[in-house]
Amino acid sequence: AQSVTQPDIHITVSEGASLELRCNYSYGATPYLFWYVQSPGQGLQLLLKYFSGDTLVQGIKGFEAEFKRSQSSFNLRKPSVHWSDAAEYFCAVGSNDYKLSFGAGTTVTVRA
Amino acid sequence: EPEVTQTPSHQVTQMGQEVILRCVPISNHLYFYWYRQILGQKVEFLVSFYNNEISEKSEIFDDQFSVERPDGSNFTLKIRSTKLEDSAMYFCASSAARQGGRYGYTFGSGTRLTVV
């Protein structure tokens, strides 16, 4: 069965600093990997996804993620965070069926 | 950009009451899903629905739950007799392709259900 681990429950970062959120997955075949963001009171918005090709994936809002098969990781990065990036971030893994398996999420706080 | 719309955004109900959560998926999507997120926990898969029948359901989706597409636009989740532990954020999602697990879905903004 597929699963996702997000080791960091909460990260605080200064505005303008870089951000990296960790995600490790477990899946026997080629994984399909996603990052979603949930702003307070909002739904889940897709930031980016990977299922083949270039292992560095560009997403919306200036985010990128790198798939590293050898480390079973799909870490999310942003070079310079903005106060509006404060939110909860979820990594998810899918397969050739209907469902996604989500990690527990990482809450990002941005300080001025 | 097309959206998945969920109503209401917040519902409070008495334990033992029936609730219906409503969703309007993206119009040309054919696959529909419900997920839930208990406060502080992971987002969990509940059920997928295609061609007017359930494609897959999780162990959470017991006989208290049912889904329906009553017309060409709505997709509903019914909880027959709510329990305190049903309190959660419920997300509806839809996808154009069967392989939502491969291509991802579009999620709605969620309905926060509070059972008192």
Side-chain angles (χ1 to χ4, degrees), chain B residues 24-47:
Chain B
V24 179
I26 292 173
S27 61
N28 63 345
H29 284 185
L30 301 176
Y31 301 87
F32 314 116
Y33 314 87
W34 285 99
Y35 281 72
R36 80 171 184 190
Q37 182 187 24
I38 295 172
L39 190 64
Q41 298 186 23
K42 292 186 180 188
V43 178
E44 304 171 291
F45 171 78
L46 289 179
V47 66

Side-chain angles (χ1 to χ4, degrees), chain B residues 21-91:
Chain B
L21 310 183
R22 301 180 191 280
C23 169
V24 179
I26 292 173
S27 61
N28 63 345
H29 284 185
L30 301 176
Y31 301 87
F32 314 116
Y33 314 87
W34 285 99
Y35 281 72
R36 80 171 184 190
Q37 182 187 24
I38 295 172
L39 190 64
Q41 298 186 23
K42 292 186 180 188
V43 178
E44 304 171 291
F45 171 78
L46 289 179
V47 66
S48 60
F49 187 88
Y50 169 70
N51 200 26
N52 281 321
E53 59 183 29
I54 291 173
S55 314
E56 187 175 353
K57 60 182 181 179
S58 72
E59 59 273 13
I60 302 168
F61 194 88
D62 62 21
D63 292 344
Q64 293 295 319
F65 292 90
S66 62
V67 289
E68 190 179 33
R69 189 152 162 83
D71 54 43
S73 59
N74 289 282
F75 178 52
T76 61
L77 173 70
K78 183 192 293 185
I79 308 175
R80 189 171 21 249
S81 176
T82 50
K83 309 185 202 56
L84 294 176
E85 54 265 37
D86 294 326
S87 295
M89 178 75 91
Y90 288 82
F91 291 105

Side-chain angles (χ1 to χ4, degrees), chain A residues 4 32 34 36 38 42-44 49 51 88 90 94-100 102-104, chain B residues 31 33 35 37 42-43 45 48 55-56 91 98-105 107-109:
Chain A
V4 172
Y32 306 113
F34 307 84
Y36 283 87
Q38 184 181 23
Q42 303 296 310
L44 295 165
K49 60 186 177 185
F51 53 85
E88 189 158 18
F90 294 94
S95 59
N96 271 326
D97 67 6
Y98 301 104
K99 63 181 181 290
L100 298 180
F102 284 83
Chain B
Y31 301 87
Y33 314 87
Y35 281 72
Q37 182 187 24
K42 292 186 180 188
V43 178
F45 171 78
S48 60
S55 314
E56 187 175 353
F91 291 105
R98 174 192 182 278
Q99 295 163 322
R102 178 174 181 177
Y103 299 107
Y105 328 130
F107 281 91
S109 57

